[in-house]
Coordinates of all heavy atoms in Angstrom, one line a residue:
Chain A
Q6 N 107.6 98.0 114.3 CA 108.8 98.7 113.9 C 109.3 99.6 115.0 O 108.5 100.2 115.6 CB 108.5 99.5 112.6 CG 108.3 98.7 111.4 CD 108.2 99.6 110.2 OE1 107.1 99.7 109.5 NE2 109.3 100.2 109.8
T7 N 110.6 99.5 115.2 CA 111.2 100.4 116.1 C 112.5 101.0 115.5 O 113.2 100.4 114.7 CB 111.6 99.7 117.4 OG1 112.4 98.6 117.1 CG2 110.4 99.3 118.2
P8 N 112.8 102.3 115.9 CA 112.0 103.2 116.6 C 110.9 103.8 115.8 O 110.9 103.6 114.6 CB 113.0 104.3 117.1 CG 114.0 104.3 115.9 CD 114.1 102.9 115.4
K9 N 110.0 104.5 116.4 CA 108.9 105.2 115.6 C 109.5 106.5 114.9 O 109.0 106.8 113.8 CB 107.7 105.6 116.5 CG 106.9 104.4 116.9 CD 105.7 104.7 117.7 CE 104.7 103.6 117.9 NZ 105.4 102.3 118.1
H10 N 110.4 107.1 115.6 CA 111.0 108.3 115.0 C 112.5 108.2 115.2 O 113.0 107.7 116.3 CB 110.5 109.6 115.8 CG 109.0 109.8 115.6 ND1 108.4 110.4 114.6 CD2 108.0 109.4 116.5 CE1 107.1 110.5 114.8 NE2 106.8 109.9 115.9
L11 N 113.2 108.8 114.3 CA 114.7 108.7 114.4 C 115.2 110.0 113.7 O 114.9 110.3 112.6 CB 115.3 107.5 113.7 CG 116.8 107.3 113.7 CD1 117.3 107.3 115.1 CD2 117.2 106.1 112.9
V12 N 116.1 110.7 114.4 CA 116.8 111.8 113.8 C 118.3 111.4 113.9 O 118.8 111.0 114.9 CB 116.6 113.1 114.6 CG1 117.4 114.3 114.0 CG2 115.1 113.5 114.7
M13 N 119.0 111.5 112.7 CA 120.4 111.2 112.7 C 121.2 112.1 111.8 O 120.6 112.7 110.8 CB 120.5 109.7 112.2 CG 120.1 109.5 110.8 SD 120.2 107.7 110.3 CE 122.0 107.6 110.1
G14 N 122.4 112.3 112.2 CA 123.3 113.1 111.4 C 123.9 112.3 110.2 O 123.8 111.1 110.1
M15 N 124.4 113.1 109.2 CA 124.9 112.4 108.0 C 126.1 111.5 108.3 O 126.4 110.6 107.4 CB 125.2 113.5 107.0 CG 124.0 114.2 106.4 SD 124.4 115.3 105.1 CE 125.1 116.7 106.0
T16 N 126.8 111.6 109.4 CA 127.9 110.8 109.7 C 127.6 109.6 110.6 O 128.4 108.8 110.9 CB 129.1 111.6 110.3 OG1 128.6 112.2 111.5 CG2 129.6 112.6 109.3
N17 N 126.3 109.6 111.1 CA 125.9 108.6 112.0 C 125.7 107.2 111.4 O 125.5 107.1 110.1 CB 124.6 109.0 112.7 CG 124.8 110.1 113.7 OD1 123.8 110.8 114.0 ND2 126.0 110.4 114.1
K18 N 125.7 106.2 112.2 CA 125.2 104.8 111.8 C 124.1 104.5 112.7 O 124.2 104.6 113.9 CB 126.3 103.8 112.0 CG 127.5 103.8 111.0 CD 128.4 102.7 111.2 CE 129.6 102.7 110.2 NZ 130.5 101.6 110.5
K19 N 123.0 104.1 112.1 CA 121.8 103.7 112.9 C 121.2 102.5 112.3 O 121.5 102.2 111.1 CB 120.8 104.8 113.0 CG 121.3 106.1 113.7 CD 121.3 105.9 115.2 CE 121.7 107.2 115.9 NZ 121.8 107.0 117.4
S20 N 120.3 101.9 113.0 CA 119.5 100.7 112.4 C 118.1 100.8 112.7 O 117.7 101.3 113.8 CB 120.1 99.4 113.0 OG 121.4 99.2 112.7
L21 N 117.2 100.4 111.8 CA 115.8 100.3 111.9 C 115.5 98.8 112.1 O 116.1 97.9 111.5 CB 115.0 100.8 110.7 CG 115.4 102.2 110.2 CD1 114.5 102.6 109.1 CD2 115.4 103.2 111.3
K22 N 114.5 98.5 113.0 CA 114.2 97.2 113.3 C 112.8 96.9 113.0 O 111.9 97.7 113.2 CB 114.5 96.9 114.8 CG 114.2 95.5 115.3 CD 114.6 95.4 116.7 CE 114.1 94.0 117.3 NZ 114.4 93.9 118.7
C23 N 112.5 95.6 112.5 CA 111.2 95.2 112.2 C 111.0 93.8 112.7 O 111.9 92.9 112.5 CB 110.9 95.3 110.7 SG 109.4 94.6 110.1
E24 N 109.8 93.5 113.3 CA 109.6 92.2 113.9 C 108.2 91.7 113.6 O 107.2 92.5 113.7 CB 109.9 92.2 115.4 CG 110.0 90.9 116.1 CD 110.6 91.1 117.5 OE1 110.8 92.2 117.9 OE2 110.8 90.1 118.1
Q25 N 108.0 90.5 113.2 CA 106.7 89.9 113.1 C 106.7 88.4 113.6 O 107.8 87.8 113.5 CB 106.3 89.9 111.6 CG 107.2 89.2 110.6 CD 106.9 87.7 110.4 OE1 105.9 87.2 110.8 NE2 107.9 87.0 109.8
H26 N 105.6 88.0 114.2 CA 105.5 86.7 114.7 C 104.3 85.9 114.1 O 103.6 85.2 114.8 CB 105.4 86.8 116.3 CG 106.6 87.4 116.9 ND1 107.8 86.7 117.0 CD2 106.8 88.6 117.4 CE1 108.7 87.4 117.6 NE2 108.1 88.6 117.8
M27 N 104.1 86.1 112.8 CA 103.0 85.5 112.1 C 103.5 84.3 111.4 O 102.7 83.6 110.6 CB 102.3 86.5 111.2 CG 101.6 87.6 111.9 SD 100.9 88.8 110.8 CE 102.3 89.9 110.5
G28 N 104.8 83.9 111.5 CA 105.3 82.8 110.7 C 105.5 83.1 109.2 O 105.7 82.2 108.4
H29 N 105.5 84.4 108.9 CA 105.7 84.8 107.5 C 107.1 84.6 107.1 O 108.1 84.9 107.8 CB 105.3 86.3 107.3 CG 103.8 86.5 107.4 ND1 103.2 87.8 107.4 CD2 102.8 85.6 107.5 CE1 101.9 87.7 107.5 NE2 101.6 86.4 107.5
R30 N 107.3 84.2 105.8 CA 108.7 84.0 105.3 C 109.1 85.0 104.3 O 110.2 84.8 103.7 CB 108.8 82.5 104.8 CG 108.4 81.5 105.7 CD 109.0 81.6 107.1 NE 110.4 81.5 107.1 CZ 111.1 80.3 107.2 NH1 110.4 79.2 107.3 NH2 112.4 80.3 107.1
A31 N 108.3 86.0 104.1 CA 108.7 87.1 103.2 C 108.6 88.4 104.0 O 107.6 88.6 104.7 CB 107.8 87.2 102.0
M32 N 109.6 89.2 103.9 CA 109.6 90.5 104.6 C 110.2 91.6 103.6 O 111.0 91.3 102.7 CB 110.5 90.4 105.8 CG 109.8 89.5 106.9 SD 110.6 89.5 108.5 CE 110.0 91.0 109.2
Y33 N 109.7 92.8 103.8 CA 109.9 93.8 102.8 C 110.3 95.2 103.5 O 109.8 95.4 104.6 CB 108.7 94.1 102.0 CG 108.0 92.9 101.5 CD1 107.1 92.2 102.3 CD2 108.2 92.5 100.2 CE1 106.4 91.0 101.8 CE2 107.5 91.3 99.7 CZ 106.6 90.6 100.5 OH 106.0 89.5 100.0
W34 N 111.1 95.9 102.9 CA 111.3 97.3 103.2 C 110.8 98.2 102.1 O 111.1 98.0 100.9 CB 112.8 97.7 103.5 CG 113.3 97.2 104.8 CD1 114.3 96.3 105.0 CD2 113.0 97.7 106.1 NE1 114.5 96.2 106.3 CE2 113.7 97.0 107.0 CE3 112.1 98.7 106.5 CZ2 113.7 97.3 108.4 CZ3 112.0 98.9 107.9 CH2 112.8 98.2 108.8
Y35 N 110.0 99.2 102.5 CA 109.5 100.3 101.6 C 109.9 101.6 102.1 O 110.1 101.8 103.3 CB 108.0 100.3 101.5 CG 107.3 99.1 100.7 CD1 107.2 97.9 101.3 CD2 106.9 99.4 99.4 CE1 106.6 96.9 100.5 CE2 106.3 98.3 98.7 CZ 106.2 97.1 99.2 OH 105.6 96.1 98.5
K36 N 110.1 102.6 101.2 CA 110.4 103.9 101.5 C 109.3 104.8 101.0 O 108.8 104.6 99.9 CB 111.7 104.4 100.9 CG 112.1 105.8 101.0 CD 113.4 106.1 100.3 CE 113.8 107.6 100.4 NZ 115.1 107.8 99.7
Q37 N 108.8 105.8 101.9 CA 107.7 106.6 101.4 C 108.1 108.1 101.7 O 108.2 108.5 102.9 CB 106.4 106.3 102.2 CG 105.2 107.1 101.7 CD 103.9 106.6 102.2 OE1 103.9 106.0 103.3 NE2 102.8 106.8 101.5
K38 N 108.3 108.9 100.7 CA 108.5 110.3 100.8 C 107.2 111.0 101.0 O 106.1 110.4 100.7 CB 109.2 110.9 99.6 CG 110.5 110.2 99.3 CD 111.7 110.8 100.1 CE 112.1 112.1 99.6 NZ 113.3 112.6 100.5
A39 N 107.2 112.2 101.6 CA 106.0 112.9 101.9 C 105.1 113.1 100.7 O 105.6 113.5 99.6 CB 106.4 114.3 102.5
K40 N 103.9 112.8 100.8 CA 102.8 113.0 99.8 C 103.1 112.1 98.6 O 102.5 112.4 97.5 CB 102.7 114.4 99.4 CG 102.3 115.4 100.5 CD 101.9 116.7 100.0 CE 101.6 117.7 101.1 NZ 100.6 117.2 102.1
K41 N 103.9 111.0 98.7 CA 104.1 110.1 97.6 C 103.7 108.7 98.1 O 103.6 108.4 99.3 CB 105.6 110.1 97.3 CG 106.1 111.4 96.7 CD 105.6 111.7 95.4 CE 106.2 112.9 94.8 NZ 105.6 113.2 93.4
P42 N 103.5 107.8 97.1 CA 103.2 106.4 97.5 C 104.4 105.6 98.0 O 105.5 106.1 97.7 CB 102.6 105.8 96.2 CG 103.2 106.6 95.2 CD 103.4 108.0 95.7
P43 N 104.2 104.6 98.8 CA 105.4 103.8 99.2 C 106.1 103.2 97.9 O 105.5 102.8 97.0 CB 104.8 102.7 100.0 CG 103.5 103.2 100.5 CD 103.0 104.1 99.3
E44 N 107.4 103.1 98.0 CA 108.3 102.5 97.0 C 109.1 101.3 97.6 O 109.7 101.5 98.6 CB 109.2 103.5 96.4 CG 108.5 104.6 95.6 CD 109.5 105.6 95.0 OE1 110.7 105.6 95.5 OE2 109.2 106.3 94.1
L45 N 109.0 100.2 96.9 CA 109.7 99.0 97.4 C 111.2 99.2 97.3 O 111.8 99.8 96.4 CB 109.4 97.8 96.5 CG 110.0 96.5 96.9 CD1 109.4 96.0 98.2 CD2 109.8 95.4 95.8
M46 N 111.9 98.8 98.4 CA 113.4 98.8 98.4 C 114.0 97.4 98.3 O 114.8 97.1 97.5 CB 113.8 99.5 99.7 CG 113.4 100.9 100.0 SD 113.8 101.5 101.6 CE 115.6 101.7 101.4
F47 N 113.6 96.6 99.3 CA 114.1 95.2 99.4 C 113.0 94.2 99.7 O 112.0 94.5 100.3 CB 115.1 95.1 100.5 CG 116.3 96.1 100.4 CD1 116.3 97.2 101.3 CD2 117.3 95.9 99.6 CE1 117.4 98.1 101.2 CE2 118.4 96.8 99.5 CZ 118.4 97.9 100.3
V48 N 113.3 93.0 99.2 CA 112.4 91.8 99.5 C 113.3 90.7 100.0 O 114.3 90.4 99.4 CB 111.6 91.3 98.3 CG1 110.8 90.1 98.7 CG2 110.8 92.4 97.7
Y49 N 113.0 90.1 101.1 CA 113.6 89.0 101.7 C 112.7 87.8 101.6 O 111.5 87.9 102.0 CB 114.0 89.2 103.1 CG 115.4 89.7 103.3 CD1 115.7 91.1 103.2 CD2 116.5 88.9 103.5 CE1 116.9 91.6 103.3 CE2 117.8 89.4 103.6 CZ 118.0 90.8 103.5 OH 119.3 91.3 103.6
S50 N 113.2 86.7 101.1 CA 112.4 85.5 101.0 C 113.2 84.3 101.7 O 114.3 84.0 101.4 CB 112.2 85.1 99.6 OG 111.5 83.8 99.5
Y51 N 112.6 83.8 102.8 CA 113.2 82.7 103.6 C 114.6 83.2 104.0 O 115.6 82.5 103.8 CB 113.3 81.4 102.8 CG 111.9 80.8 102.6 CD1 111.0 81.2 101.6 CD2 111.5 79.8 103.5 CE1 109.7 80.6 101.5 CE2 110.2 79.2 103.4 CZ 109.4 79.7 102.4 OH 108.1 79.1 102.3
E52 N 114.7 84.4 104.5 CA 115.9 85.0 105.1 C 117.0 85.3 104.1 O 118.1 85.7 104.5 CB 116.5 84.1 106.2 CG 115.6 84.0 107.4 CD 114.8 82.7 107.5 OE1 115.4 81.7 107.7 OE2 113.6 82.7 107.2
K53 N 116.6 85.2 102.8 CA 117.6 85.5 101.8 C 117.1 86.7 101.0 O 115.9 86.8 100.6 CB 117.9 84.3 100.8 CG 118.6 83.2 101.5 CD 119.0 82.2 100.4 CE 119.9 81.0 101.0 NZ 120.1 81.0 102.4
L54 N 118.0 87.6 100.6 CA 117.7 88.8 99.8 C 117.3 88.3 98.4 O 118.1 87.7 97.7 CB 118.8 89.8 99.8 CG 118.5 91.1 99.1 CD1 117.5 91.9 99.7 CD2 119.8 91.9 98.9
S55 N 116.1 88.6 98.0 CA 115.6 88.2 96.7 C 115.5 89.4 95.7 O 115.6 89.2 94.5 CB 114.4 87.4 96.7 OG 113.3 88.2 97.2
I56 N 115.2 90.6 96.2 CA 115.1 91.7 95.4 C 115.7 92.9 96.1 O 115.5 93.2 97.2 CB 113.6 92.1 95.1 CG1 112.9 91.0 94.3 CG2 113.5 93.4 94.4 CD1 111.5 91.2 94.0
N57 N 116.6 93.6 95.3 CA 117.1 94.9 95.7 C 116.8 95.9 94.6 O 117.2 95.7 93.5 CB 118.6 94.8 95.9 CG 119.3 96.1 96.2 OD1 118.7 97.2 95.9 ND2 120.5 96.1 96.8
E58 N 115.9 96.8 94.9 CA 115.4 97.7 93.8 C 116.5 98.9 93.6 O 116.1 100.0 93.6 CB 114.1 98.3 94.2 CG 113.0 97.3 94.2 CD 112.5 96.9 92.8 OE1 111.6 97.5 92.2 OE2 113.0 95.9 92.3
S59 N 117.7 98.5 93.3 CA 118.8 99.4 93.0 C 118.9 100.5 94.1 O 119.0 101.7 93.8 CB 118.5 100.1 91.7 OG 118.4 99.2 90.6
V60 N 118.9 100.0 95.3 CA 119.0 100.9 96.5 C 120.4 101.2 96.7 O 121.3 100.3 96.7 CB 118.3 100.3 97.7 CG1 118.4 101.2 98.9 CG2 116.9 99.9 97.4
P61 N 120.8 102.5 97.0 CA 122.2 102.8 97.3 C 122.7 102.0 98.5 O 122.0 101.7 99.4 CB 122.1 104.3 97.7 CG 120.8 104.8 97.1 CD 119.9 103.7 97.1
S62 N 124.0 101.8 98.5 CA 124.7 100.9 99.5 C 124.7 101.5 100.8 O 125.0 100.8 101.8 CB 126.1 100.6 99.0 OG 126.8 101.8 98.9
R63 N 124.3 102.8 101.0 CA 124.3 103.4 102.3 C 123.1 102.8 103.1 O 123.0 103.0 104.3 CB 124.2 104.9 102.3 CG 123.0 105.4 101.5 CD 123.2 107.0 101.4 NE 122.1 107.6 100.7 CZ 122.0 107.8 99.4 NH1 123.0 107.5 98.7 NH2 121.0 108.4 98.9
F64 N 122.2 102.1 102.4 CA 121.1 101.3 103.1 C 121.5 99.8 103.0 O 121.7 99.3 101.9 CB 119.8 101.5 102.3 CG 119.3 102.9 102.4 CD1 119.6 103.8 101.4 CD2 118.4 103.3 103.4 CE1 119.1 105.1 101.5 CE2 117.9 104.6 103.5 CZ 118.3 105.5 102.5
S65 N 121.6 99.2 104.1 CA 122.1 97.8 104.1 C 121.1 96.9 104.9 O 121.0 97.0 106.1 CB 123.5 97.7 104.8 OG 123.9 96.3 104.9
P66 N 120.3 96.1 104.2 CA 119.3 95.2 104.9 C 120.0 94.0 105.5 O 121.0 93.5 105.1 CB 118.3 94.9 103.8 CG 119.2 94.8 102.6 CD 120.3 95.8 102.8
E67 N 119.3 93.5 106.5 CA 119.8 92.2 107.1 C 118.5 91.5 107.7 O 117.6 92.1 108.2 CB 120.7 92.5 108.3 CG 121.2 91.3 109.0 CD 121.8 91.7 110.4 OE1 121.5 92.8 110.9 OE2 122.5 90.9 111.0
C68 N 118.5 90.2 107.5 CA 117.5 89.3 108.0 C 118.1 88.2 108.9 O 118.4 87.1 108.4 CB 116.6 88.8 106.9 SG 115.1 88.0 107.4
P69 N 118.3 88.5 110.2 CA 119.0 87.5 111.0 C 118.2 86.3 111.3 O 118.8 85.2 111.5 CB 119.2 88.3 112.3 CG 118.3 89.5 112.3 CD 118.0 89.8 110.9
N70 N 116.9 86.3 111.3 CA 116.1 85.1 111.4 C 114.7 85.4 110.7 O 114.4 86.5 110.3 CB 115.9 84.7 112.8 CG 115.3 85.7 113.7 OD1 114.2 86.2 113.5 ND2 116.0 86.1 114.8
S71 N 113.8 84.4 110.8 CA 112.6 84.6 110.0 C 111.6 85.6 110.6 O 110.6 86.0 110.0 CB 111.9 83.2 110.0 OG 111.6 82.7 111.3
S72 N 111.9 86.1 111.8 CA 111.0 87.0 112.5 C 111.5 88.4 112.4 O 110.8 89.4 112.7 CB 110.7 86.6 113.9 OG 110.2 85.4 114.1
L73 N 112.8 88.6 112.1 CA 113.4 89.9 112.3 C 113.9 90.4 110.9 O 114.5 89.7 110.1 CB 114.6 89.8 113.2 CG 114.3 89.9 114.7 CD1 115.5 89.7 115.5 CD2 113.6 91.2 115.1
L74 N 113.8 91.7 110.8 CA 114.4 92.4 109.6 C 114.9 93.7 110.0 O 114.3 94.5 110.7 CB 113.3 92.6 108.5 CG 113.7 93.2 107.2 CD1 114.6 92.2 106.4 CD2 112.5 93.6 106.3
N75 N 116.2 93.9 109.7 CA 116.9 95.2 110.0 C 117.2 96.0 108.8 O 117.4 95.4 107.7 CB 118.1 94.9 110.8 CG 117.9 94.2 112.1 OD1 116.9 94.5 112.8 ND2 118.8 93.2 112.5
L76 N 117.3 97.3 109.0 CA 117.8 98.1 107.9 C 118.9 99.0 108.5 O 118.6 99.9 109.4 CB 116.7 99.0 107.3 CG 117.1 99.8 106.1 CD1 117.5 98.9 104.9 CD2 115.9 100.7 105.6
H77 N 120.1 98.7 108.1 CA 121.3 99.5 108.7 C 121.5 100.7 107.8 O 121.5 100.6 106.6 CB 122.5 98.6 108.7 CG 122.3 97.4 109.5 ND1 122.0 97.4 110.9 CD2 122.3 96.0 109.2 CE1 121.9 96.2 111.3 NE2 122.1 95.3 110.3
L78 N 121.7 101.8 108.5 CA 121.8 103.1 107.8 C 123.2 103.7 108.1 O 123.6 103.8 109.2 CB 120.7 104.1 108.3 CG 119.3 103.5 108.4 CD1 118.4 104.5 109.0 CD2 118.8 103.1 107.0
H79 N 123.9 104.2 107.0 CA 125.2 104.8 107.2 C 125.4 105.9 106.2 O 125.2 105.6 105.0 CB 126.3 103.7 107.1 CG 127.6 104.2 107.1 ND1 128.1 105.0 108.1 CD2 128.7 104.1 106.2 CE1 129.4 105.4 107.8 NE2 129.7 104.8 106.7
A80 N 125.9 107.0 106.6 CA 126.3 108.1 105.7 C 125.1 108.5 104.8 O 125.2 108.7 103.6 CB 127.5 107.7 104.8
L81 N 123.9 108.7 105.5 CA 122.7 109.1 104.8 C 122.8 110.6 104.4 O 123.5 111.4 105.0 CB 121.5 108.8 105.6 CG 121.2 107.3 105.8 CD1 119.7 107.2 106.4 CD2 121.4 106.5 104.6
Q82 N 121.9 110.9 103.4 CA 121.8 112.3 103.0 C 120.5 112.9 103.4 O 119.5 112.1 103.7 CB 121.9 112.4 101.5 CG 123.2 111.8 100.9 CD 124.4 112.6 101.4 OE1 124.4 113.8 101.2 NE2 125.4 111.9 101.9
P83 N 120.3 114.2 103.5 CA 119.0 114.8 103.9 C 117.9 114.3 103.1 O 116.8 114.1 103.6 CB 119.3 116.3 103.8 CG 120.7 116.4 104.0 CD 121.4 115.2 103.4
E84 N 118.1 114.0 101.8 CA 117.0 113.6 100.9 C 116.6 112.1 101.2 O 115.6 111.7 100.6 CB 117.5 113.6 99.4 CG 118.7 112.9 99.1 CD 120.0 113.7 99.1 OE1 120.0 114.7 99.9 OE2 120.9 113.4 98.3
D85 N 117.3 111.4 102.1 CA 116.9 110.1 102.5 C 115.8 110.2 103.6 O 115.3 109.2 104.1 CB 118.1 109.3 103.0 CG 119.1 109.0 101.9 OD1 118.6 108.7 100.8 OD2 120.3 109.1 102.2
S86 N 115.5 111.4 104.1 CA 114.5 111.6 105.1 C 113.2 111.1 104.5 O 112.7 111.5 103.4 CB 114.4 113.0 105.5 OG 115.6 113.5 106.1
A87 N 112.5 110.2 105.3 CA 111.3 109.6 104.7 C 110.7 108.7 105.8 O 111.2 108.5 106.9 CB 111.6 108.8 103.5
L88 N 109.5 108.2 105.5 CA 108.9 107.1 106.4 C 109.3 105.8 105.8 O 109.1 105.5 104.6 CB 107.4 107.2 106.3 CG 106.6 106.2 107.1 CD1 106.8 106.5 108.6 CD2 105.1 106.3 106.8
Y89 N 109.9 105.0 106.6 CA 110.4 103.6 106.2 C 109.5 102.6 106.8 O 109.3 102.5 108.0 CB 111.9 103.4 106.7 CG 112.8 104.3 105.9 CD1 113.1 105.6 106.2 CD2 113.4 103.8 104.7 CE1 113.9 106.4 105.4 CE2 114.2 104.5 103.9 CZ 114.5 105.9 104.3 OH 115.3 106.7 103.5
L90 N 108.9 101.9 105.9 CA 107.8 100.9 106.2 C 108.4 99.5 106.0 O 109.0 99.2 105.0 CB 106.6 101.1 105.3 CG 105.9 102.4 105.5 CD1 105.0 102.7 104.2 CD2 105.0 102.3 106.7
C91 N 108.0 98.6 107.0 CA 108.3 97.2 106.9 C 107.0 96.5 106.7 O 106.0 96.9 107.2 CB 109.0 96.8 108.2 SG 109.3 95.0 108.3
A92 N 107.1 95.4 105.9 CA 105.9 94.6 105.7 C 106.3 93.1 105.7 O 107.5 92.8 105.5 CB 105.2 95.0 104.4
S93 N 105.3 92.3 105.9 CA 105.5 90.8 105.8 C 104.4 90.2 105.1 O 103.2 90.7 105.1 CB 105.8 90.2 107.1 OG 104.6 90.2 107.9
S94 N 104.6 89.0 104.5 CA 103.5 88.2 103.9 C 103.9 86.7 104.0 O 105.1 86.4 104.4 CB 103.3 88.5 102.5 OG 104.4 88.2 101.7
Q95 N 103.0 85.8 103.8 CA 103.3 84.4 104.0 C 104.6 84.0 103.3 O 105.4 83.3 103.8 CB 102.1 83.6 103.5 CG 101.0 83.5 104.5 CD 99.9 82.5 104.0 OE1 99.2 82.7 103.0 NE2 99.7 81.4 104.8
D96 N 104.6 84.3 102.0 CA 105.9 84.1 101.2 C 105.7 84.8 99.9 O 104.7 85.5 99.7 CB 106.2 82.6 101.0 CG 105.1 81.8 100.3 OD1 104.6 82.4 99.2 OD2 104.7 80.8 100.7

Side-chain angles (χ1 to χ4, degrees):
Chain A
Q6 290 187 244
T7 55
K9 288 188 172 30
H10 300 274
L11 178 62
V12 179
M13 62 183 290
M15 290 187 284
T16 58
N17 290 160
K18 286 185 181 180
K19 295 286 185 184
S20 296
L21 309 185
K22 180 180 171 181
C23 174
E24 195 166 1
Q25 58 87 14
H26 297 286
M27 293 177 277
H29 290 172
R30 304 312 298 270
M32 296 186 77
Y33 314 82
W34 282 113
Y35 285 81
K36 175 181 177 179
Q37 185 173 26
K38 300 280 283 182
K40 299 191 186 305
K41 296 290 186 183
E44 292 182 340
L45 182 68
M46 300 174 73
F47 302 105
V48 179
Y49 269 83
S50 174
Y51 289 84
E52 295 99 72
K53 289 190 178 2
L54 183 65
S55 64
I56 294 179
N57 176 340
E58 293 284 273
S59 303
V60 179
S62 60
R63 57 185 184 270
F64 295 91
S65 176
E67 178 198 18
C68 190
N70 61 55
S71 60
S72 300
L73 279 176
L74 185 67
N75 298 320
L76 186 62
H77 302 298
L78 314 172
H79 173 56
L81 295 194
Q82 303 297 311
E84 56 265 30
D85 296 321
S86 299
L88 181 68
Y89 287 86
L90 294 160
C91 174
S93 72
S94 66
Q95 279 188 294
D96 59 48

